[in-house]
Amino acid sequence: PRSTLFPYTTLFRSRAAKHCEHLGLLTREPIIARLGRGGSAIAIKLSQAGYNRLDKKPPHGLRAGSGAQHQYLVVTLARLLPDARIEATLGGQGGKSIDLLLRLTTKHERLTTVLKARATGLAANHAPLNSGDLVAIEVETTPDTIINNITKNLAAGIAHNITATMPKAFDAAKKHLLKDIPSELLPRVLLINAFDLIAGLQENNR
C-alpha cells in the first residue's frame, strides 16, 4: 500500500512546498474545497518567479488579483460546464470581463436543471433559460463587486447572470441585489451557493 511504501510522502511534499514558497517560487493559500468536515485545503500556485525558473509562460486565466479561493471555484466550475470560457471579454478590448461565459445548448441541460432546483430567483417571474441564451457566471467570494458585475454584464448583452457566492456571503449578496439592482433586471439574475452549484453539476458525472 502507498502508506506503507511511502510513509513520508505527504510530509515531504509539505516541506518541499514550504521551501519553494520561501524561495518565492510559489504561493500557498488556505481555501475551502468543499463544505463539511475535511473540506479545507491549501491551494498552491506557481509565482511569476516560478514560471521564470521553468522558462514557461503562465497559462491564460483570471485577471490579476484574483485570490486562490476565487480561482479554485471558477476553474472547478469550468471543468464541469461544456464550452465555458474563463475570463471572457464582451465588447472587445476594454470591454466587460466575465468569470465564466457560455451559450446555452443541449450540453447544458444539467446546468439548467440544477439552477431550477437550487438557485434563488429574485423576481416573481424569472426569465426562462432558453437554448442560445448567453449566460455569465460570476463567482463572488465577497459581496463587494456583485452589483457592478451584474449591471455591466446585462448591459453588455448577457441574457442571464448567475451569481455564485461563498456560503457566508449568500445572505449579504441577496440583500444587495434586492436593494440595488433595478427591478426590471432582477428576472435575469439568479443567486446560488457556489458549492451547491458544483455539487449539482458533479451529480451528473458520478
Side-chain angles (χ1 to χ4, degrees):
R2 183 179 182 87
S3 60
T4 302
L5 295 175
F6 304 102
Y8 306 114
T9 297
T10 301
L11 179 60
F12 175 79
R13 288 177 178 173
S14 178
R15 287 178 175 173
K18 289 179 180 178
H19 180 64
C20 289
E21 181 183 24
H22 179 72
L23 295 174
L25 300 176
L26 55 76
T27 61
R28 302 166 74 248
E29 187 176 330
I31 64 168
I32 299 174
R34 59 181 174 82
L35 296 183
R37 186 176 180 181
S40 298
I42 298 294
I44 298 175
K45 299 190 299 178
L46 272 178
S47 65
Q48 186 59 55
Y51 281 107
N52 294 342
R53 183 70 173 269
L54 296 172
D55 196 25
K56 293 183 178 294
K57 292 183 178 180
H60 173 73
L62 293 157
R63 54 192 173 275
S66 177
Q69 182 70 67
H70 180 260
Q71 290 192 31
Y72 169 78
L73 292 172
V74 171
V75 172
T76 299
L77 286 168
R79 289 171 176 166
L80 295 167
L81 293 167
D83 303 324
R85 295 163 54 198
I86 295 178
E87 199 68 18
T89 301
L90 284 183
Q93 187 174 4
K96 176 63 176 69
S97 182
I98 297 168
D99 285 343
L100 288 168
L101 180 68
L102 59 88
R103 190 174 294 279
L104 287 180
T105 69
T106 53
K107 297 179 182 179
H108 302 110
E109 291 179 357
R110 183 62 195 171
L111 172 63
T112 57
T113 297
V114 172
L115 291 174
K116 289 175 182 177
R118 305 192 183 199
T120 297
L122 301 169
N125 296 306
H126 188 269
L129 295 158
N130 296 320
S131 180
D133 285 350
L134 204 57
V135 174
I137 299 178
E138 295 283 9
V139 174
E140 309 285 3
T141 54
T142 68
D144 300 339
T145 58
I146 290 176
I147 304 303
N148 179 64
N149 278 334
I150 290 176
T151 53
K152 288 185 176 180
N153 287 352
L154 297 180
I158 292 295
H160 305 277
N161 195 101
I162 314 303
T163 298
T165 73
M166 291 290 288
K168 290 184 178 180
F170 187 92
D171 290 339
K174 183 177 180 180
K175 182 178 179 180
H176 278 295
L177 291 172
L178 291 173
K179 177 177 178 291
D180 297 324
I181 293 293
S183 58
E184 64 271 19
L185 297 181
L186 286 177
R188 296 162 60 193
V189 178
L190 287 172
L191 180 64
I192 190 168
N193 178 325
F195 290 101
D196 283 346
L197 179 55
I198 289 170
L201 294 172
Q202 287 175 332
E203 286 176 2
N204 197 44
N205 297 325
R206 291 172 183 170

